[in-house]
Amino acid sequence: MPMLHHGDCLEILPTLPDSSVDLVVTSPPYNLGINYRSFDDTAGRSEFLDWCRAWATELKRVLSDDGSFFLNVGASPANPLLPHQIVLAFTEGPEALFVLQNTFHWIKSITVETRSSEQISVGHFKPINSKRFVNDCHEYVFHLTKRGEVEVDRRGAGVPYQDKSNIARWGHTGGVDRRCRGNTWFIPYDTINSRDKERPHPASFPIALVEQCILLHGKGSATRLLDPFLGIGSSAVAAKRQGLAEFTGIELDDYYLSIARQRLEEVDLSETGPGK
């Protein structure tokens, strides 16, 4: 049964037991002036980083020693260093909270050229009108752990080989048509007709992004997942679709939380399940 809490994560996280979660997947406010309903996203940079360290300290406490913390952080063209400043605040110095074990690039939109020289553009991005900057089509997902030694299920989160001859050519495949996906994840948003009705949050991530983290974590249905910035509940839906044993979500805004609850009720488990 998912546990969804209404309130400030800095007040609710201290009530959770030590080592009570295996996996954290979250995306905090980015301090880029985004128009959230119940949060001021315009703090000074130093104040913002101190706030991030405060909740990250609690996450370290509640995370098991072999747990993983996947932190999704975006930037803006005028603020490109923000994601790196956050991860440095978590990983540098004698009081470092975490080790950066992997860095993933969540690709929202991309154009590729095929072997026949055809250009294919896929995905969605928010266009900008600028003479200095190009459209920003990706965000970071930082994989943080306590010691940098957590094993992951590379194949569980992998993809089939494009060239099937590689399955027999490379001994490490064991004859299995599955390879590591690597650190670039093309996960587009679902196409929607009305943002207000279908995605009423200014900075949500796709359900599939959380599912990718769950599969890479590799502990299956026994996973205890936490999202301290639940938003409209993509991580809760992912947990239910993957059949996880426990999910805990925290959200400051009552309206976003109501949407999360509604989305959970609408999950059709006949079309989902572990690994799907």
Side-chain angles (χ1 to χ4, degrees):
M1 176 68 68
M3 295 294 295
L4 305 188
H5 300 274
H6 177 218
D8 188 328
C9 70
L10 285 178
E11 296 178 357
I12 294 174
L13 284 173
T15 70
L16 304 183
D18 294 356
S19 304
S20 58
V21 300
D22 311 297
L23 179 63
V24 177
V25 183
T26 199
S27 183
Y30 297 165
N31 199 41
L32 297 175
I34 293 175
N35 185 27
Y36 296 100
R37 283 172 43 93
S38 303
F39 182 82
D40 182 2
D41 198 40
T42 58
R45 186 56 52 88
S46 178
E47 178 186 354
F48 174 74
L49 293 176
D50 287 344
W51 174 74
C52 287
R53 275 192 63 90
W55 52 256
T57 299
E58 281 298 313
L59 292 185
K60 181 179 181 180
R61 181 185 62 79
V62 303
L63 189 66
S64 61
D65 288 343
D66 62 348
S68 288
F69 169 22
F70 289 92
L71 175 67
N72 165 226
V73 187
S76 72
N79 243 316
L81 294 179
L82 176 65
H84 309 287
Q85 289 174 324
I86 294 175
V87 80
L88 285 173
F90 293 173
T91 59
E92 275 199 333
E95 297 182 358
L97 299 172
F98 295 101
V99 174
L100 179 60
Q101 186 166 320
N102 289 287
T103 298
F104 299 96
H105 301 267
W106 166 27
I107 310 301
K108 302 177 182 181
S109 175
I110 192 169
T111 297
V112 296
E113 185 169 331
T114 68
R115 294 175 180 176
S116 59
S117 298
E118 178 186 7
Q119 287 194 344
I120 301 175
S121 293
V122 289
H124 305 275
F125 62 90
K126 184 178 180 179
I128 61 172
N129 184 14
S130 173
K131 293 184 178 180
R132 294 188 296 154
F133 304 119
V134 299
N135 292 322
D136 192 358
C137 299
H138 99 295
E139 291 188 12
Y140 293 96
V141 179
F142 297 115
H143 175 213
L144 300 156
T145 60
K146 291 186 177 182
R147 291 186 294 273
E149 300 173 347
V150 173
E151 294 186 3
V152 295
D153 187 358
R154 290 156 37 105
R155 283 189 182 174
V159 294
Y161 282 93
Q162 181 177 10
D163 186 346
K164 304 303 181 184
S165 65
N166 287 329
I167 302 172
R169 180 181 301 123
W170 294 336
H172 68 268
T173 68
V176 178
D177 185 12
R178 200 78 175 172
R179 66 167 178 82
C180 174
R181 183 185 297 262
N183 67 350
T184 52
W185 297 351
F186 172 60
I187 303 176
Y189 285 108
D190 291 336
T191 300
I192 59 175
N193 295 315
S194 170
R195 185 180 183 93
D196 289 342
K197 293 180 179 180
E198 298 175 69
R199 197 183 297 146
H201 189 281
S204 61
F205 48 46
I207 298 167
L209 181 70
V210 186
E211 291 184 311
Q212 178 70 8
C213 297
I214 293 170
L215 294 173
L216 188 64
H217 181 63
K219 299 300 189 294
S221 60
T223 303
R224 300 168 297 175
L225 174 61
L226 166 68
D227 185 349
F229 301 98
L230 181 63
I232 57 174
S234 293
S235 54
V237 173
K240 188 171 182 179
R241 284 167 44 133
Q242 292 295 315
L244 300 195
E246 296 181 22
F247 175 81
T248 302
I250 304 171
E251 175 52 44
L252 181 64
D253 187 272
D254 57 348
Y255 175 67
Y256 295 152
L257 187 61
S258 70
I259 297 298
R261 295 187 190 279
Q262 179 182 337
R263 294 178 75 196
L264 272 175
E265 292 175 357
E266 294 173 351
V267 174
D268 184 357
L269 293 180
S270 68
E271 299 178 356
T272 61
K276 294 185 181 179

PDB file of all heavy atoms in Angstrom, residues 54-69:
ATOM      1  N   ALA A  54      20.282  19.733   3.569  1.00  0.00           N
ATOM      2  CA  ALA A  54      19.476  19.357   4.731  1.00  0.00           C
ATOM      3  C   ALA A  54      18.620  18.136   4.414  1.00  0.00           C
ATOM      4  O   ALA A  54      18.589  17.163   5.195  1.00  0.00           O
ATOM      5  CB  ALA A  54      18.606  20.541   5.170  1.00  0.00           C
ATOM      6  N   TRP A  55      17.888  18.156   3.287  1.00  0.00           N
ATOM      7  CA  TRP A  55      17.059  16.989   2.990  1.00  0.00           C
ATOM      8  C   TRP A  55      17.890  15.802   2.491  1.00  0.00           C
ATOM      9  O   TRP A  55      17.534  14.640   2.724  1.00  0.00           O
ATOM     10  CB  TRP A  55      15.909  17.307   2.035  1.00  0.00           C
ATOM     11  CG  TRP A  55      16.196  17.990   0.745  1.00  0.00           C
ATOM     12  CD1 TRP A  55      15.979  19.304   0.433  1.00  0.00           C
ATOM     13  CD2 TRP A  55      16.697  17.387  -0.468  1.00  0.00           C
ATOM     14  NE1 TRP A  55      16.333  19.567  -0.874  1.00  0.00           N
ATOM     15  CE2 TRP A  55      16.761  18.405  -1.446  1.00  0.00           C
ATOM     16  CE3 TRP A  55      17.094  16.092  -0.809  1.00  0.00           C
ATOM     17  CZ2 TRP A  55      17.226  18.174  -2.745  1.00  0.00           C
ATOM     18  CZ3 TRP A  55      17.557  15.843  -2.102  1.00  0.00           C
ATOM     19  CH2 TRP A  55      17.615  16.876  -3.042  1.00  0.00           C
ATOM     20  N   ALA A  56      19.026  16.076   1.848  1.00  0.00           N
ATOM     21  CA  ALA A  56      19.887  14.965   1.417  1.00  0.00           C
ATOM     22  C   ALA A  56      20.495  14.245   2.613  1.00  0.00           C
ATOM     23  O   ALA A  56      20.724  13.024   2.565  1.00  0.00           O
ATOM     24  CB  ALA A  56      20.988  15.486   0.502  1.00  0.00           C
ATOM     25  N   THR A  57      20.768  14.972   3.689  1.00  0.00           N
ATOM     26  CA  THR A  57      21.270  14.348   4.916  1.00  0.00           C
ATOM     27  C   THR A  57      20.255  13.357   5.467  1.00  0.00           C
ATOM     28  O   THR A  57      20.607  12.252   5.920  1.00  0.00           O
ATOM     29  CB  THR A  57      21.596  15.424   5.970  1.00  0.00           C
ATOM     30  OG1 THR A  57      22.618  16.295   5.459  1.00  0.00           O
ATOM     31  CG2 THR A  57      22.076  14.801   7.268  1.00  0.00           C
ATOM     32  N   GLU A  58      18.985  13.723   5.425  1.00  0.00           N
ATOM     33  CA  GLU A  58      17.934  12.817   5.870  1.00  0.00           C
ATOM     34  C   GLU A  58      17.801  11.618   4.926  1.00  0.00           C
ATOM     35  O   GLU A  58      17.557  10.495   5.370  1.00  0.00           O
ATOM     36  CB  GLU A  58      16.604  13.566   5.978  1.00  0.00           C
ATOM     37  CG  GLU A  58      16.472  14.395   7.224  1.00  0.00           C
ATOM     38  CD  GLU A  58      16.525  13.544   8.479  1.00  0.00           C
ATOM     39  OE1 GLU A  58      15.829  12.500   8.544  1.00  0.00           O
ATOM     40  OE2 GLU A  58      17.282  13.903   9.401  1.00  0.00           O
ATOM     41  N   LEU A  59      17.962  11.861   3.628  1.00  0.00           N
ATOM     42  CA  LEU A  59      17.883  10.749   2.685  1.00  0.00           C
ATOM     43  C   LEU A  59      18.986   9.734   2.947  1.00  0.00           C
ATOM     44  O   LEU A  59      18.761   8.518   2.865  1.00  0.00           O
ATOM     45  CB  LEU A  59      17.977  11.261   1.246  1.00  0.00           C
ATOM     46  CG  LEU A  59      16.802  12.081   0.733  1.00  0.00           C
ATOM     47  CD1 LEU A  59      16.984  12.406  -0.751  1.00  0.00           C
ATOM     48  CD2 LEU A  59      15.479  11.361   0.949  1.00  0.00           C
ATOM     49  N   LYS A  60      20.186  10.205   3.262  1.00  0.00           N
ATOM     50  CA  LYS A  60      21.275   9.280   3.563  1.00  0.00           C
ATOM     51  C   LYS A  60      20.932   8.416   4.771  1.00  0.00           C
ATOM     52  O   LYS A  60      21.220   7.220   4.798  1.00  0.00           O
ATOM     53  CB  LYS A  60      22.571  10.048   3.816  1.00  0.00           C
ATOM     54  CG  LYS A  60      23.756   9.141   4.118  1.00  0.00           C
ATOM     55  CD  LYS A  60      25.026   9.926   4.349  1.00  0.00           C
ATOM     56  CE  LYS A  60      26.198   8.991   4.628  1.00  0.00           C
ATOM     57  NZ  LYS A  60      27.463   9.724   4.855  1.00  0.00           N
ATOM     58  N   ARG A  61      20.306   9.011   5.764  1.00  0.00           N
ATOM     59  CA  ARG A  61      19.959   8.273   6.973  1.00  0.00           C
ATOM     60  C   ARG A  61      18.929   7.188   6.705  1.00  0.00           C
ATOM     61  O   ARG A  61      19.046   6.052   7.206  1.00  0.00           O
ATOM     62  CB  ARG A  61      19.419   9.242   8.037  1.00  0.00           C
ATOM     63  CG  ARG A  61      19.044   8.569   9.355  1.00  0.00           C
ATOM     64  CD  ARG A  61      18.398   9.548  10.310  1.00  0.00           C
ATOM     65  NE  ARG A  61      17.146  10.092   9.788  1.00  0.00           N
ATOM     66  CZ  ARG A  61      15.984   9.439   9.822  1.00  0.00           C
ATOM     67  NH1 ARG A  61      15.920   8.220  10.336  1.00  0.00           N
ATOM     68  NH2 ARG A  61      14.891  10.009   9.336  1.00  0.00           N
ATOM     69  N   VAL A  62      17.907   7.495   5.914  1.00  0.00           N
ATOM     70  CA  VAL A  62      16.835   6.520   5.686  1.00  0.00           C
ATOM     71  C   VAL A  62      17.190   5.501   4.612  1.00  0.00           C
ATOM     72  O   VAL A  62      16.520   4.476   4.480  1.00  0.00           O
ATOM     73  CB  VAL A  62      15.506   7.217   5.329  1.00  0.00           C
ATOM     74  CG1 VAL A  62      15.095   8.188   6.425  1.00  0.00           C
ATOM     75  CG2 VAL A  62      15.575   7.926   3.979  1.00  0.00           C
ATOM     76  N   LEU A  63      18.257   5.748   3.838  1.00  0.00           N
ATOM     77  CA  LEU A  63      18.645   4.855   2.743  1.00  0.00           C
ATOM     78  C   LEU A  63      19.496   3.709   3.282  1.00  0.00           C
ATOM     79  O   LEU A  63      20.398   3.910   4.096  1.00  0.00           O
ATOM     80  CB  LEU A  63      19.436   5.633   1.694  1.00  0.00           C
ATOM     81  CG  LEU A  63      19.753   4.921   0.378  1.00  0.00           C
ATOM     82  CD1 LEU A  63      18.469   4.630  -0.407  1.00  0.00           C
ATOM     83  CD2 LEU A  63      20.699   5.772  -0.475  1.00  0.00           C
ATOM     84  N   SER A  64      19.207   2.492   2.814  1.00  0.00           N
ATOM     85  CA  SER A  64      20.001   1.333   3.213  1.00  0.00           C
ATOM     86  C   SER A  64      21.416   1.459   2.660  1.00  0.00           C
ATOM     87  O   SER A  64      21.674   2.197   1.702  1.00  0.00           O
ATOM     88  CB  SER A  64      19.350   0.048   2.701  1.00  0.00           C
ATOM     89  OG  SER A  64      19.287   0.056   1.280  1.00  0.00           O
ATOM     90  N   ASP A  65      22.353   0.728   3.251  1.00  0.00           N
ATOM     91  CA  ASP A  65      23.755   0.842   2.845  1.00  0.00           C
ATOM     92  C   ASP A  65      23.980   0.438   1.397  1.00  0.00           C
ATOM     93  O   ASP A  65      24.911   0.933   0.748  1.00  0.00           O
ATOM     94  CB  ASP A  65      24.643  -0.005   3.767  1.00  0.00           C
ATOM     95  CG  ASP A  65      24.789   0.604   5.156  1.00  0.00           C
ATOM     96  OD1 ASP A  65      24.484   1.809   5.310  1.00  0.00           O
ATOM     97  OD2 ASP A  65      25.192  -0.127   6.086  1.00  0.00           O
ATOM     98  N   ASP A  66      23.158  -0.483   0.880  1.00  0.00           N
ATOM     99  CA  ASP A  66      23.288  -0.892  -0.522  1.00  0.00           C
ATOM    100  C   ASP A  66      22.210  -0.241  -1.392  1.00  0.00           C
ATOM    101  O   ASP A  66      21.885  -0.740  -2.470  1.00  0.00           O
ATOM    102  CB  ASP A  66      23.234  -2.412  -0.660  1.00  0.00           C
ATOM    103  CG  ASP A  66      21.905  -2.995  -0.181  1.00  0.00           C
ATOM    104  OD1 ASP A  66      21.119  -2.259   0.461  1.00  0.00           O
ATOM    105  OD2 ASP A  66      21.654  -4.189  -0.445  1.00  0.00           O
ATOM    106  N   GLY A  67      21.676   0.870  -0.919  1.00  0.00           N
ATOM    107  CA  GLY A  67      20.626   1.570  -1.662  1.00  0.00           C
ATOM    108  C   GLY A  67      21.177   2.527  -2.701  1.00  0.00           C
ATOM    109  O   GLY A  67      22.370   2.858  -2.717  1.00  0.00           O
ATOM    110  N   SER A  68      20.298   2.986  -3.563  1.00  0.00           N
ATOM    111  CA  SER A  68      20.644   3.941  -4.616  1.00  0.00           C
ATOM    112  C   SER A  68      19.734   5.153  -4.548  1.00  0.00           C
ATOM    113  O   SER A  68      18.540   5.034  -4.260  1.00  0.00           O
ATOM    114  CB  SER A  68      20.502   3.299  -6.005  1.00  0.00           C
ATOM    115  OG  SER A  68      21.530   2.360  -6.247  1.00  0.00           O
ATOM    116  N   PHE A  69      20.309   6.304  -4.836  1.00  0.00           N
ATOM    117  CA  PHE A  69      19.598   7.578  -4.849  1.00  0.00           C
ATOM    118  C   PHE A  69      19.756   8.174  -6.238  1.00  0.00           C
ATOM    119  O   PHE A  69      20.849   8.554  -6.638  1.00  0.00           O
ATOM    120  CB  PHE A  69      20.196   8.487  -3.765  1.00  0.00           C
ATOM    121  CG  PHE A  69      19.764   9.935  -3.790  1.00  0.00           C
ATOM    122  CD1 PHE A  69      18.592  10.346  -4.410  1.00  0.00           C
ATOM    123  CD2 PHE A  69      20.542  10.891  -3.154  1.00  0.00           C
ATOM    124  CE1 PHE A  69      18.210  11.689  -4.422  1.00  0.00           C
ATOM    125  CE2 PHE A  69      20.177  12.238  -3.157  1.00  0.00           C
ATOM    126  CZ  PHE A  69      19.009  12.625  -3.789  1.00  0.00           C
TER     127      PHE A  69
END
